Amino acid sequence: MSHTAHSEFGEINRLVIKPASNAFSSDKKIAREWQKLNYLKAPNFVLANEEYENFERVLKDTGTELLHLPVGEGLSIDSLYCRDASVATDFGMIICRMGKEARAGEPKAQKKFFADNKIAILGEIIAPGTLEGGDIVWLDNKTLAVGHTYRTNLEGIAQLKAMLEPKGIEVMVAELPHYRGPSDVFHLMSILSPVDKNLAVVYSPLMPISFRNLLLERGFQLVEVPEEEFDSMGCNVLALAPRRCLMVEGNPITEKRLRDAGCEVTTYNGHEISVKGGGGPTCLTRPIFRGV
């Protein structure tokens, strides 16, 4: 196969996004929803659109094909973070079932979008299973790591394994801590972003010891995010291609460590679209195909 979804770092050549104008819709919608969705503050609609246009320009400049999710009836402002409602595999998309009740409609909307765009679907997580895309990280083309979190339960993980293990994919579980509890957004991708086959950005204080050791055994060099850059999403880094990184500005220590590891780093102002809602560039994007 000429393309693979089995990586977090191959060159992106097809990507699904949901523009802020489609997710936020209006200041009125933001005002209704931001508190119950645990945003730090209400995003400003006009500024969010400006930020998003700059963010999208960076993606366009890579030459990738961009597909835009539509507004979608009954979806919350959280639908901006389109990574979470699906998982990309070489065998088709897996449609998730959200652990956050307010986001329950997103997988169905993405399923319709994929069908309309002739993107294959492998399967769907069904009740009582929950699985969110932010808890899924490809370590290599045969190994998938999944976080057991408040958003992704054991039944969801069992269904994921049932879909992928018969196809020769090893699914490894990372048991994540309680941290700030069920209402917080805490995914495996909050503490792990592979940016090449042997390089990953990590926040070690919240990483299970056994899982961290496993990364080291697999030959990963770890770029450590300092404590003061965790909440500003220093660990949330999107690889546009191997060692070509996109991250929220305001994380200079992590940025320097990435450059020292041989990475090219682009930053964007994400005050409205990333920091307030707790979703960095990996959360804002659903890569469909990456180059081998």
Side-chain angles (χ1 to χ4, degrees):
M1 206 177 245
S2 60
H3 296 101
T4 177
H6 291 170
S7 109
E8 304 296 343
F9 44 78
E11 185 172 3
I12 299 173
N13 43 36
R14 200 174 198 204
L15 181 70
V16 170
I17 56 173
K18 184 160 188 178
S21 55
N22 290 357
F24 289 170
S25 298
S26 65
D27 275 316
K28 195 182 284 185
K29 182 175 172 66
I30 291 169
R32 271 200 316 269
E33 297 181 3
W34 74 271
Q35 282 172 299
K36 68 180 180 201
L37 293 173
N38 298 305
Y39 280 56
L40 298 177
K41 287 181 180 170
N44 176 292
F45 184 63
V46 172
L47 294 178
N49 283 324
E50 287 173 12
E51 281 184 8
Y52 201 93
E53 282 165 17
N54 290 331
F55 174 76
E56 187 172 341
R57 199 168 297 125
V58 175
L59 299 174
K60 273 184 186 149
D61 286 348
T62 67
T64 186
E65 179 191 357
L66 291 178
L67 302 174
H68 295 88
L69 288 163
V71 173
E73 276 301 303
L75 301 185
S76 77
I77 59 175
D78 261 355
S79 62
L80 181 74
Y81 304 121
C82 60
R83 165 82 54 153
D84 292 324
S86 57
V87 176
T89 84
D90 249 2
F91 321 104
M93 304 301 293
I94 295 173
I95 306 302
C96 294
R97 183 169 176 269
M98 309 300 269
K100 186 175 183 178
E101 205 175 311
R103 304 189 68 182
E106 291 177 46
K108 187 179 174 188
Q110 285 200 13
K111 182 182 180 182
K112 181 183 185 307
F113 180 82
F114 295 143
D116 290 347
N117 285 275
K118 297 182 171 51
I119 295 166
I121 293 168
L122 171 63
E124 203 166 341
I125 304 298
I126 57 170
T130 61
L131 186 87
E132 294 196 0
D135 279 321
I136 307 291
V137 180
W138 289 99
L139 299 181
D140 61 37
N141 64 353
K142 292 287 181 195
T143 316
L144 188 71
V146 55
H148 177 207
T149 67
Y150 283 118
R151 302 294 184 84
T152 294
N153 65 16
L154 291 174
E155 171 60 26
I157 293 170
Q159 291 179 33
L160 180 74
K161 286 183 172 183
M163 286 183 216
L164 292 177
E165 285 179 344
K167 298 184 180 298
I169 303 298
E170 183 184 4
V171 178
M172 311 178 69
V173 181
E175 294 285 347
L176 295 195
H178 168 80
Y179 189 42
R180 291 172 180 159
S183 65
D184 193 53
V185 54
F186 179 56
H187 287 129
L188 180 58
M189 292 201 90
S190 305
I191 57 170
L192 171 66
S193 294
V195 294
D196 201 353
K197 62 181 182 296
N198 56 358
L199 187 69
V201 184
V202 300
Y203 182 64
S204 289
L206 289 174
M207 189 164 272
I209 293 166
S210 58
F211 185 69
R212 189 177 183 280
N213 284 342
L214 183 136
L215 293 175
L216 293 170
E217 285 160 18
R218 296 177 75 91
F220 277 94
Q221 175 191 345
L222 304 181
V223 175
E224 300 281 356
V225 174
E227 189 176 346
E228 62 267 34
E229 292 186 0
F230 178 64
D231 281 336
S232 52
M233 279 166 297
C235 201
N236 194 306
V237 180
L238 177 69
L240 301 168
R243 297 189 191 231
R244 274 182 49 212
C245 303
L246 180 60
M247 65 188 298
V248 186
E249 68 182 37
N251 297 289
I253 299 168
T254 308
E255 185 181 339
K256 182 180 186 305
R257 288 175 182 176
L258 278 164
R259 292 186 195 281
D260 289 347
C263 294
E264 178 191 317
V265 182
T266 303
T267 63
Y268 69 97
N269 176 7
H271 188 66
E272 306 296 321
I273 61 174
S274 289
V275 177
K276 287 182 175 178
T282 64
C283 310
L284 288 165
T285 55
R286 164 38 69 208
I288 301 291
F289 290 116
R290 286 181 179 267
V292 174

